[in-house]
Amino acid sequence: MSSTTSTDSDPAAAPAAPARGAVSISGAVREYGRGDNRVRALGPVDLQIPAGDFVVLVGPSGCGKSTLLRLVAGFEPPTDGTVQVDGAPPVPGHSSGVVFQQARLFPWKTVGGNVSLALKYAGVPRAERRDRADELLDRVGLAGTYDRRIWEISGGQQQRVAIARALAVPTSLLLMDEPFGALDALTRERLQADVREVDAESGRTTVFVTHSPEEAAFLGSRIVVLSGRPGTVARDIRSTLPRTDVDPDELRERRDFVELRAEISAAVKSAAAQERRGDRR
Ligand code: ADP
């Protein structure tokens, strides 16, 4: 599917230049407000994300994780510095697929209709959309649900549809902003395992925001800890945990997983303690 696993006959996966999902962030700052009310929400942040990395952004609440993700999505520009995806400023809806905390599906469309719409915007011909949508739904564990109504499926399933929709965007970059934050613990664990599997299959670049050290340790090939507001890169931790051929439950019990989680947790606490005083909310 999409640009990473598609065949030559796939029109949506044939960009002029090879899109690979590399992210380059240099001196990126984001400020809000004017005059005396001007507040720095983020930065300066320097971060190079090579294609294929699964970067988890973690840090204290309000440090600017979502702000940074919005800059990478191209939803807003940095006040200072640069953010590029594959060497160019990001274009919303084209440079990356995005999954938010709430699924934000169209309730008047079916499950498959929501995914098909994304395929339509991605330029996939009408005749191919049904098969591609079925394929994407299958990929996120929702095989056979194309004709179901959004209100007939659970919150966890809705979030799976949102992931399928993001995967429909023909780019190698996937951005996820606390996508499982509103789900119960068991559903969250299942979806985390699924995202890990999809990542191993697709080789996409992913930037995933969470405030949970557990989630960060489980998902990330690389964990970037942001300092307290305004967030800067406080720690950049490489995970040595296996990305493939590992049972998710066994992974969570491994000693190196438990150590990584503890290291991330300590780094986040230390980052929060260093939050600069005097910044207005
Ligand atoms: P996080 O995702 O780490 O919790 P956010 O990126 O949501 O943090 O927010 C970082 C800071 O920027 C917060 O203090 C927040 O209040 C502020 N902020 C975010 N968006 C805006 C905005 N549009 N206008 C003003 N302040 C904002």
Side-chain angles (χ1 to χ4, degrees):
M1 56 141 292
S2 172
S3 55
T4 48
T5 58
S6 56
T7 62
D8 291 340
S9 63
D10 183 347
R20 298 166 55 240
V23 180
S24 173
I25 302 166
S26 302
V29 167
R30 182 64 205 182
E31 292 177 343
Y32 294 105
R34 290 172 183 277
D36 288 349
N37 292 322
R38 199 160 180 80
V39 172
R40 181 173 290 202
L42 177 79
V45 169
D46 290 290
L47 191 60
Q48 301 301 319
I49 305 177
D53 266 16
F54 194 123
V55 170
V56 178
L57 297 175
V58 62
S61 181
C63 74
K65 301 182 291 296
S66 298
T67 301
L68 183 53
L69 208 73
R70 286 199 300 275
L71 297 186
V72 177
F75 294 152
E76 50 188 279
T79 315
D80 204 358
T82 58
V83 175
Q84 295 193 325
V85 175
D86 292 319
V91 180
H94 289 275
S95 307
S96 56
V98 186
V99 183
F100 302 94
Q101 182 166 353
Q102 305 296 334
R104 300 189 189 185
L105 302 172
F106 294 118
W108 58 89
K109 290 199 165 287
T110 60
V111 164
N114 271 274
V115 180
S116 281
L117 189 64
L119 290 168
K120 178 179 172 185
Y121 286 120
V124 175
R126 179 190 287 266
E128 292 175 25
R129 284 181 217 149
R130 169 80 202 215
D131 283 353
R132 289 282 297 277
D134 276 334
E135 197 183 301
L136 288 167
L137 289 168
D138 187 18
R139 183 110 181 234
V140 297
L142 288 177
T145 60
Y146 190 100
D147 294 317
R148 299 280 296 277
R149 295 274 154 195
I150 293 301
W151 63 82
E152 290 173 349
I153 62 174
S154 69
Q157 288 174 321
Q158 289 182 12
Q159 205 52 294
R160 286 173 194 270
V161 179
I163 294 170
R165 187 178 57 180
L167 292 173
V169 179
T171 166
S172 301
L173 179 62
L174 186 60
L175 306 177
M176 305 179 97
D177 191 358
E178 300 228 29
F180 312 140
L183 303 175
D184 65 273
L186 196 63
T187 307
R188 196 180 319 156
E189 279 196 10
R190 281 203 196 116
L191 284 171
Q192 286 167 353
D194 290 345
V195 163
R196 220 174 186 280
E197 204 179 301
V198 167
D199 174 62
E201 280 170 21
S202 75
R204 282 178 185 237
T205 312
T206 302
V207 185
F208 188 107
V209 165
T210 183
H211 61 266
S212 158
E214 163 95 20
E215 189 161 70
F218 184 79
L219 290 176
S221 66
R222 188 174 162 198
I223 298 97
V224 172
V225 181
L226 295 184
S227 67
R229 188 168 61 105
T232 57
V233 175
R235 288 284 307 279
D236 192 343
I237 303 169
R238 279 231 162 253
S239 170
T240 53
L241 294 169
R243 303 295 302 167
T244 52
D245 298 326
V246 61
D247 177 80
D249 293 331
E250 280 170 23
L251 184 71
R252 290 180 200 275
E253 288 178 4
R254 284 170 63 126
R255 197 163 60 101
D256 45 0
F257 172 80
V258 174
E259 284 169 359
L260 178 62
R261 186 182 59 195
E263 185 182 358
I264 297 166
S265 187
V268 172
K269 280 188 190 136
S270 145
Q274 285 162 7
E275 182 159 352
R276 291 184 218 167
R277 296 182 188 282
D279 279 317
R280 279 184 225 101
R281 283 249 154 220

